[in-house]
Amino acid sequence: MKDDDLKNAIEKLELENIKMEHVSKIGEGAWHNVYKIERNLEKDLVLRIRKKIAYGQLQAYKEIDLITEYESSKVYYQQANQCSFNICPSVFDYFLEESSVFTVECFMGKGKILQCLSDSEAFTIGKELGEFFKVMHRKNPDIQGFGNIIWNGKYLEGKVKQETNYIWQKDNDFYLCILNSLTTSDLTFNREIVENKIVNLIENRRKNVQKISLVNQDVTPENIIFNIDNVSLIDPFPRLDFDLKYAGYFVFSYKFLLPAYSNASRYRKHAYNQNSSILNRIADGFMNGYISDNENLYKCLLDEYILWILLEAYEHYETLIESELDPKTLQQMGDKDMIKNRLTLCLNELENLSLDNSFTFFNKRGF
Ligand SMILES: Nc1ncnc2c1ncn2[C@@H]1O[C@H](COP(=O)(O)OP(=O)(O)O)[C@@H](O)[C@H]1O
Ligand SMILES: [Mg+2]
């Protein structure tokens, strides 16, 4: 990161009278270097300067992709704030030039670090998030369509334009298709139990069409600011998809995905495996906030969790078939041995969940 990029951004924002001692680096993700700008009379700001190299590779300037990404964040922040006051930055803007790309938004606080959260704080934060996502998912999105969101030159739209029922049936067909790939593979797992479970689950799922909502595909703790009783969400990765499916994704991320991925270099520094009990409490709180005590909704959420494990197993299996891993996959998923081990973990979880009923899931997970 060159100082020049930072100075240039501050100039563009017409904040030249800000002294450099009021600008400090507060974080960094895979894509941005992040600075806080302290101001005397107005709210502090956050400047996110886009890295030119991400995942070890020089990133080409692709304007449409950048507009898509930042306009999606803007819309997500707006809708989120309508659902829960100030859960996301109320100001968000971005600047695009081939030589410099940056965003500016409100500073949302420092938050507690994950490992310092007590059991009850983790549960409370999870519950708050669950309650928020429930309202967020109920809202009709301003963006039409389904799937990945794209900027068409004038406005954002979902890439898929088919009718909801058709998309829903396709979604269900897809799971049966990946189930078939796994059961006809040479992998070792209890095919009969898993197949039975998934086929029944999908048969039931087909009848309960879910709602298309604006969902967030990146709910990792790096993008959540753990202010107790005032949690904030930043850096969303929105898409249009089914509500319960993505509530299940949150639970899946916190109970399984994050601990399971902590050996990959992208996630190693966060040591999520050492904090798995805190992540678990966040997920428990989330379920409590999202479903309250609706037994049927709980069952459906658990089914979605199982389907995410199935998808994860399939993606690991597919990745192993490839002769060489690209640098991004290597960083995010790890080497072939790590992928093999994680695949075994997925298959074990899938078998256990196919045997268990939801009651044991409750207990095993400390709900
Ligand atoms: N608006 C904000 N308020 C407070 N902290 C922030 C804000 N935006 C980013 N950060 C901090 O910077 C880190 C990286 O920011 P992020 O936007 O997630 O980067 P990336 O896009 O590379 O993932 C976050 O984990 C958080 O600690
Ligand atoms: Mg991030």
Side-chain angles (χ1 to χ4, degrees):
M1 174 68 207
K2 286 185 294 173
D3 258 7
D4 289 355
D5 291 339
L6 181 58
K7 284 199 183 111
N8 168 54
I10 289 173
E11 246 171 57
K12 291 245 163 61
L13 288 168
E14 296 178 4
L15 292 170
E16 294 97 328
N17 43 5
I18 293 279
K19 294 199 174 79
M20 279 320 263
E21 57 260 37
H22 292 149
V23 180
S24 53
K25 185 161 178 187
I26 56 163
E28 142 168 34
W31 298 101
H32 299 92
N33 282 307
V34 183
Y35 300 85
K36 177 179 169 188
I37 303 177
E38 283 173 56
R39 299 191 295 176
N40 273 340
L41 298 169
E42 286 166 287
K43 272 191 184 170
D44 294 340
L45 294 175
V46 162
L47 190 58
R48 296 163 69 238
I49 301 185
R50 197 164 185 98
K51 293 180 176 180
K52 295 193 168 78
I53 294 172
Y55 292 106
Q57 281 176 317
L58 192 67
Q59 300 294 318
Y61 177 84
K62 291 187 192 146
E63 194 161 270
I64 291 286
D65 293 358
L66 292 166
I67 297 176
T68 292
E69 178 178 332
Y70 295 140
E71 284 292 332
S72 305
S73 292
K74 196 189 260 183
V75 166
Y76 191 90
Y77 281 173
Q78 277 165 0
Q79 186 176 317
N81 283 336
Q82 287 164 13
C83 296
S84 177
F85 181 69
N86 265 355
I87 192 164
C88 290
S90 56
V91 170
F92 176 85
D93 216 339
Y94 60 94
F95 296 81
L96 305 180
E97 265 172 23
E98 193 131 9
S99 58
S100 119
V101 175
F102 62 91
T103 74
V104 62
E105 65 186 53
C106 308
F107 176 65
M108 300 305 282
K110 198 163 175 285
K112 261 194 160 184
I113 51 170
L114 188 70
Q115 49 268 49
C116 292
L117 293 178
S118 70
D119 241 35
S120 70
E121 285 171 341
F123 190 88
T124 306
I125 283 178
K127 187 170 176 187
E128 226 182 296
L129 288 168
E131 285 164 351
F132 158 72
F133 277 106
K134 189 176 172 179
V135 182
M136 185 74 176
H137 288 172
R138 270 209 203 130
K139 213 168 164 59
N140 289 328
D142 284 335
I143 312 168
Q144 299 299 308
F146 179 87
N148 286 341
I149 295 171
I150 44 163
W151 178 256
N152 65 10
K154 282 188 189 144
Y155 52 86
L156 292 172
E157 58 182 0
K159 227 173 169 178
V160 178
K161 298 276 163 28
Q162 284 136 338
E163 198 247 321
T164 306
N165 234 334
Y166 178 80
I167 299 171
W168 179 244
Q169 296 312 336
K170 285 281 233 197
D171 192 82
N172 286 293
D173 293 344
F174 172 71
Y175 289 115
L176 292 181
C177 180
I178 62 175
L179 173 70
N180 185 54
S181 298
L182 292 177
T183 50
T184 54
S185 71
D186 54 4
L187 294 169
T188 320
F189 68 104
N190 194 331
R191 293 171 158 62
E192 206 184 315
I193 288 175
V194 171
E195 193 166 13
N196 211 3
K197 174 75 187 179
I198 305 287
V199 168
N200 282 328
L201 183 164
I202 293 293
E203 203 178 300
N204 181 51
R205 189 178 187 256
R206 283 190 192 280
K207 295 177 231 155
N208 298 299
V209 187
Q210 295 179 21
K211 179 182 179 303
I212 296 177
S213 311
L214 187 61
V215 300
N216 185 1
Q217 304 171 82
D218 195 349
V219 288
T220 56
E222 301 149 65
N223 293 334
I224 295 179
I225 301 185
F226 299 113
N227 302 314
I228 311 299
D229 295 330
N230 180 23
V231 66
S232 298
L233 285 177
I234 52 164
D235 190 25
F237 180 20
R239 90 181 239 114
L240 293 160
D241 213 317
F242 296 108
D243 56 351
L244 257 188
K245 177 177 168 182
Y246 271 82
Y249 182 67
F250 187 99
V251 178
F252 164 71
S253 296
Y254 279 72
K255 281 186 183 282
F256 186 87
L257 198 71
L258 293 164
Y261 269 78
S262 50
N263 57 354
S265 60
R266 163 77 176 85
Y267 300 99
R268 206 170 292 143
K269 69 171 188 243
H270 301 294
Y272 289 134
N273 52 344
Q274 286 163 34
N275 298 306
S276 59
S277 67
I278 300 172
L279 296 169
N280 231 329
R281 281 314 276 166
I282 296 177
D284 291 338
F286 179 94
M287 287 200 278
N288 190 294
Y290 197 91
I291 63 182
S292 310
D293 50 5
N294 183 334
E295 178 83 5
N296 189 41
L297 205 56
Y298 173 75
K299 276 210 189 93
C300 294
L301 194 70
L302 179 59
D303 284 351
E304 294 304 323
Y305 178 91
I306 295 173
L307 293 177
W308 281 109
I309 301 268
L310 176 75
L311 179 60
E312 198 62 34
Y314 171 75
E315 283 177 355
H316 276 64
Y317 171 64
E318 282 286 292
T319 308
L320 280 176
I321 292 172
E322 281 159 32
S323 53
E324 256 189 70
L325 304 180
D326 62 58
K328 195 171 175 185
T329 308
L330 256 175
Q331 278 199 43
Q332 288 190 324
M333 296 179 85
D335 59 26
K336 287 214 170 181
D337 275 342
M338 289 179 195
I339 298 174
K340 233 181 249 170
N341 290 337
R342 211 178 295 117
L343 173 57
T344 307
L345 209 65
C346 294
L347 293 171
N348 287 342
E349 181 78 348
L350 207 52
E351 267 182 36
N352 287 336
L353 287 165
S354 301
L355 285 166
D356 277 355
N357 57 32
S358 51
F359 180 72
T360 25
F361 186 77
F362 261 117
N363 285 344
K364 198 171 78 182
R365 308 283 165 173
F367 189 63

